[in-house]
Amino acid sequence: MVLTGAGISAESGVPTFRGPGGFWRSYSPERLATAEAFGQNPRLVWEWYDWRRSIVRKAEPNAGHRALVELERQKTDEFREPSRFTLVTQNVDGLHDRAGSRNVLKLHGDIWQVRCVGCGAEERNEQVPLEELPPHCSCGALLRPAVVWFGEPLPAAAWQRAVEASEQAQLFLVIGTSAVVYPAAGLAEVGREAGARLAVVNAEPTPLDATADWVLRGQAGELLPRLL
Ligand code: OAD
């Protein structure tokens, strides 16, 4: 079981949320990443997402993403069963997919998906920059990014599969996440309680370090290929 956060994409040039240069150092989550903020100022929220989409568009997967593709391949071959390896991410950037990971559970959605706030239709939209800000659905209502904002529930099916994989895991790798945003961060605790051994890969200390079996301090793009 692998859980990743913004840190795995840092070496690809995508800013994290809480570290130096992180989004939440300069922007307020309440003004940009809540349904209330979108209701009050959809254009401002979309300007921020449009800008982030332009950053992600230019970014390339790094050696950390690629090491997880290789790990998935190795574990799938070894056990001859895809379900024995699970990659869960809090990232919306799609870099795991672009690196070649086959089964990615996205707990916080996908920055390239949009959803209509009126009819609920969801579609892929890779236009950068967007032609119209905020964009509208063919039904006339506003489109929003199909991501999870603060106060919103996680996608139920992905969450359920992530919990099951955590409960069954022998080894739980937590990579590049500050592990402070719940419920995602709670998966490591679910895994630990069910008997998994826990390894934390992070450039900085995290709240999980105290209970981890291994703490690997450094850049994911350097450490993960060495772990393989
Ligand atoms: P954070 O920005 O909170 O944490 C990033 C973590 O990555 C920190 O612990 C850094 O020390 C670590 N890090 C930075 N560069 C690294 C590198 N090269 N190698 C290894 N580790 C590195 O990001 P998340 O934990 O992903 O939610 O944040 C969780 C959620 O909070 C996000 O999904 C987002 C945000 O608000 C929503 O938008 C719902």
Side-chain angles (χ1 to χ4, degrees):
M1 167 76 185
V2 180
L3 173 68
T4 65
I8 196 162
S9 296
E11 289 155 84
S12 295
V14 182
T16 61
F17 292 93
R18 293 173 184 77
F23 287 123
W24 299 152
R25 294 277 174 106
S26 325
Y27 303 95
S28 138
E30 296 78 28
R31 284 189 62 211
L32 295 170
T34 62
E36 291 72 30
F38 187 73
Q40 279 163 15
N41 197 340
R43 186 181 165 90
L44 176 73
V45 171
W46 262 118
E47 278 172 359
W48 188 60
Y49 277 91
D50 201 35
W51 173 66
R52 283 177 63 199
R53 284 159 60 106
S54 73
I55 294 173
V56 171
R57 166 62 59 82
K58 285 183 230 128
E60 293 295 334
N62 65 54
H65 298 105
R66 288 194 295 273
L68 294 179
V69 177
E70 176 60 18
L71 192 59
E72 178 177 36
R73 197 191 60 71
Q74 283 181 10
K75 292 295 141 194
T76 308
D77 287 356
E78 188 178 325
F79 296 114
R80 298 185 185 286
E81 223 188 300
S83 62
R84 297 296 295 265
F85 175 87
T86 304
L87 173 56
V88 178
T89 190
Q90 300 166 85
N91 299 346
V92 298
D93 58 30
L95 290 179
H96 286 303
D97 302 309
R98 276 172 55 200
S101 286
R102 276 169 285 178
N103 274 310
V104 186
L105 296 178
K106 293 176 192 159
L107 293 184
H108 291 164
D110 186 327
I111 204 163
W112 301 112
Q113 292 284 122
V114 295
R115 185 167 70 242
C116 177
V117 299
C119 70
E122 197 171 311
E123 66 181 25
R124 202 158 177 85
N125 175 318
E126 298 189 353
Q127 192 180 53
V128 177
L130 285 161
E131 239 166 55
E132 184 201 13
L133 282 182
H136 287 80
C137 178
S138 51
C139 81
L142 281 175
L143 290 169
R144 60 164 279 179
V147 298
V148 176
W149 282 330
F150 287 99
E152 293 182 330
L154 303 190
W159 174 249
Q160 188 55 38
R161 283 175 60 199
V163 169
E164 282 165 17
S166 303
E167 287 167 347
Q168 289 161 13
Q170 291 171 299
L171 176 63
F172 199 126
L173 281 171
V174 182
I175 303 165
T177 173
S178 56
V180 295
V181 174
Y182 281 77
L187 289 171
E189 286 146 34
V190 170
R192 247 203 102 62
E193 274 164 29
R197 300 183 80 189
L198 180 64
V200 174
V201 177
N202 200 301
E204 304 283 338
T206 79
L208 294 174
D209 295 4
T211 53
D213 296 280
W214 301 277
V215 177
L216 306 180
R217 178 84 64 245
Q219 309 288 308
E222 287 170 23
L223 290 172
L224 293 177
R226 284 168 58 195
L227 255 187
L228 273 179

